[in-house]
């Protein structure tokens, strides 16, 4: 086998291969792929990429997607996971921004590519050729090289690329190895779409320990206890919205999830009563609330839930997010950018931090210089408890978390203004028992909500779509004669508190995946 550089993300899989060559690396429904088979498929994809340095993987949760991601890493390329259900224009834009010259696509992905037009520059849709398979991963991966690139919502309607290096992922997963006791006997849920950074936790924690990744279909929530028992799932990871959904489906009875050893939640605020209910349903499981923006490599803090002590540590009903990972520094700053000891915006620097956005023009206000060092401003307001643990209090800016999606409200507003008859738009996030919901207020000509929904489906991913549209003759203004977003947020909360709205939200809501 070709000698490979120490520290590349793909080495997580090689470690699992050494432990579990003939055991399942991946299960998708009734289809099982062993470590040995997935390794060989990845080598075939790697050899077929023709030296491409940036590779898009446009696929659903199919074997092609997982083998393509691994194969691009084996080839020493940057992986750009792409979702085939995203609007075609958005996918095209991300391919162009990333500089991808090759694409691994499954059947759904190929259909998307066929609709993107013929003028994408030098884009090779790769066919796997066993005759070109590598004998082993290519050498030369350096810590600063980009392992994968993900895209977050941007305020101008243009997604922002976030490159994550092999060095960052190595630091991250070595910390997780020390914190958790995953083994080849574990079975990991895989609820997240592959273009969402939490999916990297699932894949490379499982593969680094020789465990199995079990792809979780949306139908699993109809009877989650039965699904987890049938599939032998021992490690669960999802957004907190999954707890609300399991509760609505009567899947959270005490002791209903006895096979779980670990339960992780991230992507949005975890409420104390949700954590308590899940812990009661999975009494043998250790539950952790883990937090982190994409720019800080999946997650950067963690709080281990203790039914006896955690409830009293919650603030506004929200579970602490824990301590910042070892090897990183953090500060809290007030509105004047002065360091404050107890409560303020969270800034972090350290080895998990991305070097910056793909386009340096996007760095402003996020990646900042402070005391001679580069920091990432999270835009999250947190409180520091006496022992150093942090509690998330809310966003400072115009972003909201929607079932794990970090959404710039300005992007939703930007796209809706392009709809015929719309003059001005304000989008706000309002809290419901099922999580944050997006409500849009607009001026101009009244239009049926279904017309807006159809238009935005062509522009925004499903996870960013508003579910409520309200026409106003004019926006309320505050004392500074600016649009009163606080007033509109209060109106939205009242709107969503109506029984009919709650019913509609419950039927439509579902966790990421």
């Amino acid at each position: 086998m070709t000698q490979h550089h120490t520290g590349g993300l793909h080495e997580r899989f090689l470690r699992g291969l050494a432990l579990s060559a003939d055991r399942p690396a991946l299960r998708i429904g009734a289809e099982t792929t062993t470590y040995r088979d997935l390794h060989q498929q990845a080598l075939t994809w790697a050899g077929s990429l023709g030296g491409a340095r940036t590779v898009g993987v446009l696929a659903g949760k199919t074997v092609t997607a997982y083998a393509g991601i691994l194969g691009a890493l084996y080839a020493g390329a940057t992986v750009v996971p792409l979702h085939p259900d995203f609007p075609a224009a958005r996918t095209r834009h991300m391919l162009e921004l990333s500089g991808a010259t090759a694409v691994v696509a499954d059947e759904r992905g190929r259909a998307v590519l066929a609709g993107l037009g013929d003028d994408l520059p030098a884009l090779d849709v790769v066919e796997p050729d066993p005759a070109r398979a590598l004998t082993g991963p290519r050498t030369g991966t350096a810590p600063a090289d980009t392992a994968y690139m993900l895209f977050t919502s941007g305020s101008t309607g243009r997604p922002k690329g976030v490159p994550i290096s092999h060095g960052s992922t190595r630091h991250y997963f070595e910390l997780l190895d020390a914190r958790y006791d995953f083994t080849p006997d574990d079975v990991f849920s895989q609820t997240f779409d592959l273009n969402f950074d939490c999916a990297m936790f699932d894949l490379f924690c499982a593969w680094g320990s020789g465990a199995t990744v079990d792809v979780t279909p949306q139908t699993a929530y109809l009877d989650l206890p039965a699904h987890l028992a049938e599939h032998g799932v021992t490690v669960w990871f999802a957004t907190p919205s999954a707890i609300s959904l399991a509760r609505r489906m009567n899947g959270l009875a005490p002791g209903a999830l006895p096979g779980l050893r670990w339960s992780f939640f991230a992507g949005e605020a975890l409420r104390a009563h949700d954590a308590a209910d899940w812990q009661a349903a999975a009494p043998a499981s250790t539950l952790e609330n883990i937090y982190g923006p994409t720019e800080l490599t999946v997650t950067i803090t963690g709080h281990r839930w203790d039914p006896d002590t955690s409830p009293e540590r919650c603030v506004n009903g929200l579970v602490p997010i824990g301590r910042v990972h070892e090897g990183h520094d953090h500060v809290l700053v007030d509105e004047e950018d002065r360091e404050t000891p107890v409560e303020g915006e969270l800034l972090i620097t350290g080895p998990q931090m991305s070097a910056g956005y793909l386009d340096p023009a996007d760095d402003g206000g996020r990646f900042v210089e402070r005391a001679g060092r580069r920091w990432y401003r999270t835009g999250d307001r947190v409180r520091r408890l006496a022992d150093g643990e942090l509690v998330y209090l809310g966003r400072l800016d115009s972003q909201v978390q929607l079932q794990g999606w970090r959404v710039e409200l300005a992007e939703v507003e930007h796209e809706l203004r392009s709809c015929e008859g719309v003059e001005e738009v304000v989008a706000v996030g309002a809290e419901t028992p099922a999580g944050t919901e997006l409500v849009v207020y607009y001026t101009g000509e009244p239009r049926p909500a279904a017309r807006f929904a159809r238009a935005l489906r062509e522009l925004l991913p499903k996870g960013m779509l508003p579910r409520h549209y309200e026409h106003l003759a004019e926006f309320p203004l505050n004392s500074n004669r600016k649009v009163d977003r606080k007033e509109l947020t209060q109106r939205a909360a009242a709107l969503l508190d109506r029984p009919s709205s709650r019913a509609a939200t419950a039927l439509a809501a579902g966790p990421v995946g």
Side-chain angles (χ1 to χ4, degrees), residues 332-338 340 343-345 377 381 396:
L332 308 184
V333 299
D334 62 17
E335 294 179 355
E336 303 299 324
D337 205 36
R338 297 172 301 201
T340 180
E343 188 171 313
E345 182 184 3
R377 300 189 74 118
R381 187 164 58 91
L396 288 172

Side-chain angles (χ1 to χ4, degrees), residues 403-452:
Q403 300 175 36
W405 286 91
R406 193 177 70 190
V407 178
E408 290 272 8
L409 294 176
E411 179 172 5
V412 177
E413 294 167 353
H414 171 82
E415 300 294 6
L416 199 64
R417 287 191 195 98
S418 67
C419 295
E420 183 182 359
V422 172
E423 293 178 358
E424 290 299 323
V425 180
V426 174
V428 299
E431 294 301 315
T432 77
T436 303
E437 292 293 326
L438 198 58
V439 177
V440 169
Y441 292 94
Y442 70 97
T443 63
E445 300 177 23
R447 291 283 192 269
R451 181 177 295 185
F452 291 139

Side-chain angles (χ1 to χ4, degrees), residues 11-29:
E11 291 192 5
R12 304 284 303 175
F13 186 88
L14 296 181
R15 196 167 80 178
L17 176 67
L19 291 168
S20 303
D22 295 310
R23 300 181 69 170
L26 179 66
R27 282 205 310 247
I28 305 174

Side-chain angles (χ1 to χ4, degrees), residues 480-491:
N480 294 324
R481 307 304 296 168
K482 296 180 179 180
V483 174
D484 193 337
R485 286 182 174 267
K486 183 177 180 180
E487 165 66 19
L488 291 176
T489 301
Q490 291 172 344
R491 290 190 192 185

Side-chain angles (χ1 to χ4, degrees), residues 44-56:
T44 297
W45 280 113
S48 303
L49 289 171
R53 300 303 303 160
T54 303
V55 178

